[in-house]
Amino acid sequence: MDTVMSRSGEEQTAQPNVFAPAKLGPVTLRNRIIKAATFEASTPNAVVTDDLITYHRLPAAGGVGMTTVAYLAVSPGGRTEGRQIWWRPEAIPGLQTLTAAIHAEGAAISAQIGHAGPVADARSNKAKALAPVRFFNPLAMRFAKKATRDDITDVINAHADAARFAIEAGFDAVEIHLGHNYFASSFLSPLINRRADEFGGSLENRAKVARGMVMAVRRAVNDQIAVTAKLNMSDGVRGGISTEESLQTAKWLEEDGGLGRGGDAVDAHVLMPEYLTCEDKSEQIANHVIEWLYQPAKRAVRVAELTALKDRVSHGGASRRTADYVLDTLDARCRPALRTHYSFDSQVEETMRDAA
């Protein structure tokens, strides 16, 4: 591994070229750039449309290694609102058309799968929402039901079924949604999860749902497709999920063996830069992210995550102090990998440092 010299004169390990091919489980990506799952607003009838195909085909044609289809719910009651796609036989032909279009551009495609839990819109879904405890959703103006053990088992099994559908539809990977106060995240949250049973209390108990989902998906797909996960780093609210707990959960997920299996080529965990918003914890949170991303076995520079952080700051969603700290600390590590192929100075640094 090559080394580079930091501004302070310290020798640091250089990161691999983000534009070089990389392995993610059984999938070979043409580069390390992954388009994150972002709301497309393109499924008015809960099935694939031409607009959705175009939305993902364009970044694929532009050269990303993989694009991620946002939030394909594992059940009708797991949608955040009633127009989202949920996994069922009727949705498969359209999804097959979508994956074929992306493959034709030379890119891979991932399906984000999940259950919205207490965030699900019971009114538009016409199905009861589920939560660790009885929970009021002001968007739906409905109470979510406290999930029973059978409900939890059903949701976990639905993730396995969704992963099997993803294989049938031609996806190269699935991303399990473990964030945003959705079903798994709400169980992880000490603020929401006040249960006194085996799924509440300690972090080990609260993490059982997330770990169960990941392992159910892994058993369903074996090594046919890659398995990744999206996990909050910090809820940013008092009493919510902390960075320390998120790192422990991520370590358990990795130790369980359900994610990635891509060696040190691509990091299978998605760390969320948009959660770097707490002014008084900027350096603490940034340091946690940096430490996790740059362990010896985690040699991946996530261009998409840097860009997401830039966008978050430019729209006022993250503090300027956080942006400065992350840029200064990552500078020597990211810049050598990006300098040749990506206008880091003009497209990231300038926007972030000039953000109001």
Side-chain angles (χ1 to χ4, degrees):
M1 187 75 70
D2 294 335
T3 59
V4 295
M5 199 67 67
S6 69
R7 287 177 177 176
S8 61
E10 296 177 353
E11 192 176 79
Q12 295 180 331
T13 303
Q15 301 309 311
N17 186 341
V18 296
F19 292 89
K23 288 283 290 183
L24 179 61
V27 182
T28 299
L29 304 179
R30 61 185 174 186
N31 57 53
R32 299 162 187 255
I33 303 173
I34 299 174
K35 186 208 168 296
T38 52
F39 180 55
E40 301 105 342
S42 300
T43 59
N45 298 310
V47 292
V48 171
T49 62
D50 289 343
D51 283 346
L52 184 66
I53 294 173
T54 299
Y55 181 93
H56 287 281
R57 187 187 61 77
L58 289 175
V64 300
M66 184 165 72
T67 186
T68 310
V69 181
Y71 202 68
L72 302 170
V74 300
S75 66
R79 294 172 289 177
T80 58
E81 58 91 26
R83 290 170 292 183
Q84 287 177 328
I85 297 174
W86 57 282
W87 291 98
R88 63 200 192 282
E90 295 80 5
I92 300 304
L95 291 167
Q96 289 173 330
T97 302
L98 169 60
T99 58
I102 303 310
H103 290 151
E105 299 291 350
I109 181 168
S110 177
Q112 185 186 76
I113 63 175
H115 189 292
V119 185
D121 187 346
R123 182 169 52 184
S124 66
N125 290 341
K126 297 180 173 57
K128 197 76 173 176
L130 298 172
V133 295
R134 193 166 185 261
F135 185 94
F136 183 71
N137 181 342
L139 297 177
M141 295 302 289
R142 298 283 192 280
F143 277 95
K145 171 193 171 186
K146 178 181 177 179
T148 66
R149 201 183 202 298
D150 286 343
D151 291 328
I152 294 170
T153 299
D154 288 344
V155 172
I156 290 175
N157 290 339
H159 279 74
D161 291 339
R164 295 186 188 97
F165 275 128
I167 294 172
E168 182 181 350
F171 284 92
D172 303 289
V174 290
E175 178 186 275
I176 306 168
H177 201 316
L178 304 179
H180 300 178
N181 285 337
Y182 287 12
F183 192 78
S185 177
S186 66
F187 273 85
L188 285 167
S189 169
L191 183 64
I192 298 175
N193 184 355
R194 302 299 179 90
R195 296 173 74 108
D197 62 2
E198 62 184 305
F199 298 104
S202 68
L203 176 60
E204 187 173 9
N205 283 351
R206 288 183 278 119
K208 286 180 179 178
V209 170
R211 296 172 75 178
M213 285 178 179
V214 171
M215 292 311 299
V217 168
R218 170 56 67 191
R219 287 190 293 269
V221 307
N222 195 10
D223 288 324
Q224 295 179 79
I225 59 176
V227 180
T228 68
K230 178 177 187 174
L231 181 68
N232 286 19
M233 289 308 298
S234 171
D235 280 346
V237 296
R238 183 174 299 174
I241 299 170
S242 68
T243 307
E244 291 78 11
E245 286 197 340
S246 291
L247 289 172
Q248 180 58 61
T249 301
K251 290 175 183 177
W252 283 335
L253 292 171
E254 183 174 46
E255 291 167 1
D256 290 344
L259 295 177
R261 297 190 180 178
D264 65 352
V266 177
D267 188 0
H269 303 284
V270 179
L271 305 183
M272 302 294 290
E274 57 263 40
Y275 287 97
L276 304 180
T277 59
C278 302
E279 185 72 38
D280 62 336
K281 293 185 178 181
S282 299
E283 295 186 10
Q284 175 189 351
I285 295 174
N287 276 329
H288 278 304
V289 173
I290 292 160
E291 178 184 357
W292 183 250
L293 278 175
Y294 293 99
Q295 294 177 54
K298 301 284 186 294
R299 302 298 184 187
V301 178
R302 294 296 295 268
V303 175
E305 291 181 3
L306 287 172
T307 305
L309 179 57
K310 173 204 72 174
D311 292 341
R312 187 76 172 176
V313 174
S314 65
H315 288 89
S319 72
R320 183 173 178 177
R321 177 183 170 193
T322 299
D324 285 344
Y325 187 83
V326 171
L327 277 174
D328 288 343
T329 310
L330 293 180
D331 182 64
R333 306 181 187 195
C334 293
R335 191 180 298 273
L338 298 176
R339 183 183 290 120
T340 303
H341 300 281
Y342 189 76
S343 183
F344 188 82
D345 288 332
S346 62
Q347 296 186 32
V348 179
E349 184 171 8
E350 182 179 348
T351 303
M352 295 177 74
R353 295 201 187 283
D354 290 344

